[in-house]
Amino acid sequence: AEHQHARYNPLRDDWVLVSAHRVKRPWQGQLEKPPAEDVPRWDPNNPLCPGATRANGEVPPGTQGLGPPLPPPPALTPSLTPADDSDHPLFRAAPARGVCKVMCFHPWSDLTLPLMSLPEIRAVIDAWAELATELGASYPWVQIFENKGAMMGCSNPHPHCQVWASSFLPNEARLEDRTQSQHLSQHGVPMLLEYAEQEARRKERLVVENADWLVVVPYWATWPYQTLLLPRRHVCRLQDLSDSERDNLASIMQRLLIKYDNLFEVSFPYSMGWHGAPTGPYLEEDCRHWQLHAHYYPPLLRSATVRKFMVGYEMLAQVQRDLTPEQAAERLRSLPEVHYK
């Protein structure tokens, strides 16, 4: 807790520098604007609100809750454009195609997941699983992710996530596929299944747990209050979860996100996303090395206005954090599970 040291991340095959003593230094850098607390329940200028006119002139259904409204110009489209041939290996390109969807969690803009009911969160989980199944039938990778808060690039204050399906395995997926495959080959057990068992026993980085899930600040965390959501049993994909596991997932997500909001008494910004075994052609392959998990990456460090910047050394050398994962987990663990609002 007092001395700098490096920790190995077996999931990414890289290292993080931990410098806990740096959090004591005075802060005279940029201060963020705290998240707005007065978000209107319905805004005619918010394209994610039901009944609001979108930029293309279309009006979503007035009863819109869960569903995939049309996104802005997507990063991936189903059409396949051939990549240009290269005359040199240093100038390579490859074709890419896919689908990008936006999924709203609730018709009200002033709600976020921790403020929704358990049945409403369970409905979100079921919709995630349905989209993962639908898009995974043909695409190798289906990335479900949520950017919460303007600090994380969310331009429309409305509870929603995005789902991008691609004809290729993205970098993070390929990296986790390799490291988890190597671990199973060398140790005979899926990496994150073994890791969850170890963290459940040690408890020093445990934040919340229930019969089917646990949340930890990972030993190798890079962001200040980063967490990893893990199932207790071996499960490869989101759509493989049982009814009881989905119920308990809704519960543990709500508990974690309430703690996040309670940490600095703001609507806590983060980027989160699910990683599971690849789909499409990989459905016919052995993917036992994969373990379903969700990453939460929140940027706030000391308060609602002081964030962790990943610049300089982090960009040019390796990532670095200013408090230990154990310190972060203890602080999150001690927070109440009743929302401050």
Side-chain angles (χ1 to χ4, degrees):
E2 297 295 329
H3 303 287
Q4 69 270 13
H5 60 282
R7 296 191 183 192
Y8 180 63
N9 180 347
L11 194 57
R12 300 197 76 259
D13 190 24
D14 63 11
W15 293 79
V16 54
L17 175 63
V18 182
S19 311
H21 55 286
R22 292 185 78 240
V23 80
K24 299 177 181 178
R25 74 193 193 282
W27 180 259
Q28 295 180 331
Q30 177 175 318
L31 297 178
E32 305 293 335
K33 184 179 179 180
E37 296 284 344
D38 56 348
V39 176
R41 179 152 293 180
W42 186 84
D43 182 353
N45 297 314
N46 187 336
L48 295 183
C49 285
T53 302
R54 307 200 63 164
N56 60 4
E58 295 185 358
V59 179
T63 57
Q64 176 192 340
L66 278 174
L70 291 173
L76 292 164
T77 64
S79 59
L80 184 62
T81 302
D84 294 335
D85 290 334
S86 174
D87 61 354
H88 195 281
L90 292 179
F91 301 92
R92 298 168 59 190
R97 63 182 183 87
V99 174
C100 298
K101 292 180 178 286
V102 175
M103 188 184 87
C104 291
F105 299 156
H106 198 281
W108 294 354
S109 291
D110 58 343
L111 285 187
T112 56
L113 279 171
L115 295 173
M116 288 165 53
S117 69
L118 287 178
E120 289 170 337
I121 299 173
R122 168 63 195 266
V124 170
I125 294 167
D126 289 339
W128 282 344
E130 290 172 10
L131 275 174
T133 301
E134 173 195 336
L135 297 174
S138 53
Y139 288 103
W141 190 255
V142 180
Q143 183 59 65
I144 298 169
F145 65 97
E146 178 193 5
N147 294 327
K148 179 172 179 275
M151 196 180 300
M152 300 309 291
C154 180
S155 56
N156 296 303
H158 191 92
H160 71 283
C161 72
Q162 298 184 52
V163 184
W164 293 17
S166 61
S167 61
F168 55 89
L169 289 188
N171 293 340
E172 292 297 313
R174 286 191 292 110
L175 181 56
E176 289 193 4
D177 185 65
R178 175 177 63 81
T179 57
Q180 291 181 96
S181 179
Q182 290 173 345
H183 188 92
L184 180 64
S185 176
Q186 294 170 5
H187 302 280
V189 60
M191 177 198 295
L192 292 181
L193 181 63
E194 182 178 13
Y195 179 69
E197 292 171 349
Q198 286 289 320
E199 289 287 31
R201 180 174 61 83
R202 297 168 185 256
K203 297 191 181 303
E204 56 190 330
R205 285 169 295 274
L206 189 66
V207 178
V208 287
E209 63 178 331
N210 62 28
D212 294 312
W213 300 87
L214 67 156
V215 175
V216 300
V217 177
Y219 178 80
W220 53 78
T222 57
W223 293 95
Y225 293 97
Q226 174 182 337
T227 55
L228 186 63
L229 173 57
L230 295 162
R232 291 187 184 272
R233 78 170 176 98
H234 185 208
V235 55
C236 291
R237 299 178 177 93
L238 193 62
Q239 52 268 45
D240 298 334
L241 296 174
S242 67
D243 279 345
S244 63
E245 286 171 328
R246 295 184 188 197
D247 285 340
N248 280 330
L249 175 56
S251 173
I252 204 165
M253 283 175 55
Q254 185 187 62
R255 293 169 63 197
L256 169 65
L257 298 180
I258 286 174
K259 285 179 177 289
Y260 270 159
D261 280 8
N262 285 344
L263 180 60
F264 299 128
E265 295 195 349
V266 294
S267 183
F268 205 69
Y270 58 75
S271 283
M272 72 81 66
W274 285 99
H275 283 175
T279 49
Y282 293 90
L283 292 170
E284 305 300 321
E285 296 189 8
D286 184 359
C287 291
R288 287 177 300 163
H289 54 288
W290 271 92
Q291 175 74 329
L292 176 70
H293 58 284
H295 297 281
Y296 284 84
Y297 298 128
L300 293 180
L301 173 59
R302 301 185 185 200
S303 69
T305 60
V306 177
R307 68 178 298 180
K308 167 68 176 177
F309 288 91
M310 291 290 189
V311 296
Y313 188 86
E314 290 89 352
M315 296 175 70
L316 297 166
Q318 72 180 39
V319 291
Q320 178 270 337
R321 62 178 289 123
D322 295 338
L323 75 164
T324 68
E326 293 77 24
Q327 291 169 330
E330 182 179 10
R331 185 164 184 188
L332 287 173
R333 187 168 54 243
S334 65
L335 292 167
E337 295 185 9
V338 176
H339 199 277
Y340 74 94
K341 284 189 174 182

